[in-house]
Amino acid sequence: MASTRKRLEALTAGLSIPEPAPAAAPVSNSTAPVLTTLPGAAAAVETRFPPAQTSHFAPRTGPGQMLAFRGQMQAVEGELTALRERLHQHDGSTPTRKLDPATIRASRWANRHPASFENAEFAGLKADVEQAGGNVQPILVRPVADEPGQYELVFGHRRHRACLELGIPVLAAIWLDELGDAELFAAMDRENRERADLSPYEQGVMYQRALEEQLFPTQRQLAEKLGVSHTWIRKALTVAQLPSAVLECFRSPLEVQHRHAEQLNAALDKDRRSVLKRAEKVRGQKLAPAAVVARLLGLEAAAKPEKLALLIEGKTVGSCLRAPDGTVTLTLLPGPMSDLPADVLLKSVAETLQKVKLLG
């Protein structure tokens, strides 16, 4: 202790303590540092000691002030260490915040068909967002260059549209690092494939646009960048490349599946004129997808009604019949269903109708 005191006295031997302010002067609450002037130095050269406000009475001696200053620095270092540990917990994370959906624009690679925002699935998503007071899963955006406060969608178009129509803020993760168009495209495609809610037509249109605008010069480079097989790219493109006259025969292009496109493209390669002539008659009839394909291929007579059993807990309580023109007829057996709760019956009917849709 004695040696430490001697060293501090030697270090501060030439320092002087400023005289206290006159009693009549107002007391200042400022935390400005105490200024002292070194002997023999120019008046403009000053040594600054930050005050140690650890008690009501600041130390008046040089050694006391140095010890107080040291304690203050140790406290600051402790706070910095705690802050570094807290920041380390967020390393690699993307910041999220609530944004005004009006400040977010769709990417030019946006792959959602307008029908995606008009079906029952979107209505259900919108109802869930409204009930939760916002989207639980964030969308991803990137800032628009040279336009402060404006963002471009990477993925989450339906969640963004739901919040926009509801007039509520949208929870968004903001990509602050460099994100080029090719990386944005790959991120959008990966998220859509993982969620499995993008139709083959929307997927194909997205790939077709990327090729046409030379974002990826070849299908091979596109497949390699996205980490998918060349077959997957080819199958998606067969849907997008169907003639508009053929696509207009469906109630929505979102109904076209890969197997439909393969059958139709094969028929077009064999006799394009006949397929397009049949399309003129089919267009506007609003048939089920399977019936549309049969008509376009000239197989109307081969189209047969599809019948599915309506099951509840393994027991048949009715049937579901879909005619070639898309008409669905439900038949309920009076005996088995008499004791069933209404919600159980409705759930079974909904599941059966979903199977009918998938078969189409």
Side-chain angles (χ1 to χ4, degrees):
M1 182 65 183
S3 60
T4 300
R5 183 172 180 178
K6 288 181 179 180
R7 286 200 300 270
L8 289 173
E9 287 177 348
L11 288 171
T12 59
L15 301 179
S16 61
I17 304 300
E19 295 296 329
V27 178
S28 173
N29 293 324
S30 172
T31 58
V34 177
L35 304 179
T36 61
T37 305
L38 292 174
V45 180
E46 297 177 333
T47 302
R48 297 172 178 266
F49 286 88
Q53 302 294 343
T54 56
S55 66
H56 294 293
F57 302 99
R60 294 182 57 82
T61 65
Q65 285 196 347
M66 291 295 292
L67 288 173
F69 175 70
R70 181 181 179 186
Q72 190 177 33
M73 291 301 296
Q74 288 177 339
V76 171
E77 289 175 358
E79 292 179 6
L80 288 174
T81 300
L83 288 173
R84 289 192 190 97
E85 292 176 354
R86 291 177 59 185
L87 286 173
H88 182 69
Q89 297 174 2
H90 300 279
D91 281 351
S93 62
T94 303
T96 61
R97 70 171 70 167
K98 292 279 190 176
L99 297 176
D100 180 354
T103 65
I104 303 172
R105 67 185 64 171
S107 167
R108 67 191 181 105
W109 310 111
N111 46 22
R112 288 292 178 185
H113 188 272
S116 295
F117 305 106
E118 300 169 357
N119 53 29
E121 287 82 0
F122 177 71
L125 171 65
K126 185 176 175 180
D128 290 341
V129 171
E130 183 176 21
Q131 184 177 9
N135 55 309
V136 177
Q137 184 176 6
I139 65 174
L140 181 64
V141 300
R142 67 174 178 178
V144 176
D146 303 324
E147 294 187 41
Q150 298 295 311
Y151 301 90
E152 181 183 6
L153 262 172
V154 178
F155 56 71
H157 290 77
R158 294 196 307 162
R159 282 164 278 167
H160 169 256
R161 174 69 71 87
C163 292
L164 183 64
E165 293 184 1
L166 291 169
I168 60 176
V170 59
L171 180 64
I174 304 173
W175 191 279
L176 298 178
D177 295 334
E178 182 67 25
L179 184 66
D181 283 348
E183 288 72 23
L184 181 148
F185 186 93
M188 182 187 303
D189 177 75
R190 181 170 54 253
E191 199 263 354
N192 285 325
R193 282 188 287 109
E194 289 175 352
R195 292 171 61 85
D197 63 354
L198 198 67
S199 71
Y201 174 76
E202 291 170 311
Q203 197 87 59
V205 169
M206 178 182 176
Y207 294 161
Q208 183 70 24
R209 185 181 301 141
L211 291 169
E212 289 176 350
E213 298 192 19
Q214 292 293 300
L215 183 62
F216 302 99
T218 65
Q219 292 185 29
R220 177 177 296 276
Q221 292 181 13
L222 172 61
E224 291 174 353
K225 179 65 177 181
L226 302 183
V228 298
S229 67
H230 301 160
T231 302
W232 170 259
I233 299 294
R234 181 189 59 78
K235 290 175 64 176
L237 290 174
T238 59
V239 181
Q241 293 171 351
L242 284 171
S244 58
V246 171
L247 291 171
E248 290 170 2
C249 293
F250 294 86
R251 292 169 297 194
S252 166
L254 305 185
E255 293 183 331
V256 184
Q257 301 299 314
H258 292 135
R259 65 181 184 277
H260 300 151
E262 290 178 353
Q263 291 175 296
L264 293 171
N265 277 302
L268 286 165
D269 291 340
K270 184 177 180 180
D271 189 353
R272 186 180 186 88
R273 182 177 179 181
S274 296
V275 174
L276 295 179
K277 188 174 181 178
R278 296 186 196 107
E280 295 177 2
K281 299 178 181 180
V282 177
R283 191 166 24 190
Q285 294 188 23
K286 298 186 181 300
L287 303 176
V292 171
V293 174
R295 296 285 183 88
L296 292 175
L297 297 179
L299 304 174
E300 301 96 318
K304 298 180 179 179
E306 298 173 358
K307 186 175 182 179
L308 291 176
L310 188 62
L311 302 175
I312 297 181
E313 296 180 353
K315 297 181 180 179
T316 301
V317 298
S319 62
C320 179
L321 181 68
R322 186 181 65 178
D325 64 355
T327 303
V328 176
T329 303
L330 285 173
T331 302
L332 302 177
L333 302 177
M337 63 168 268
S338 58
D339 298 328
L340 289 174
D343 58 338
V344 175
L345 180 61
L346 290 174
K347 181 180 179 181
S348 178
V349 170
E351 291 174 349
T352 304
L353 290 176
Q354 182 65 20
K355 292 179 183 178
V356 170
K357 177 181 177 182
L358 293 175
L359 288 173

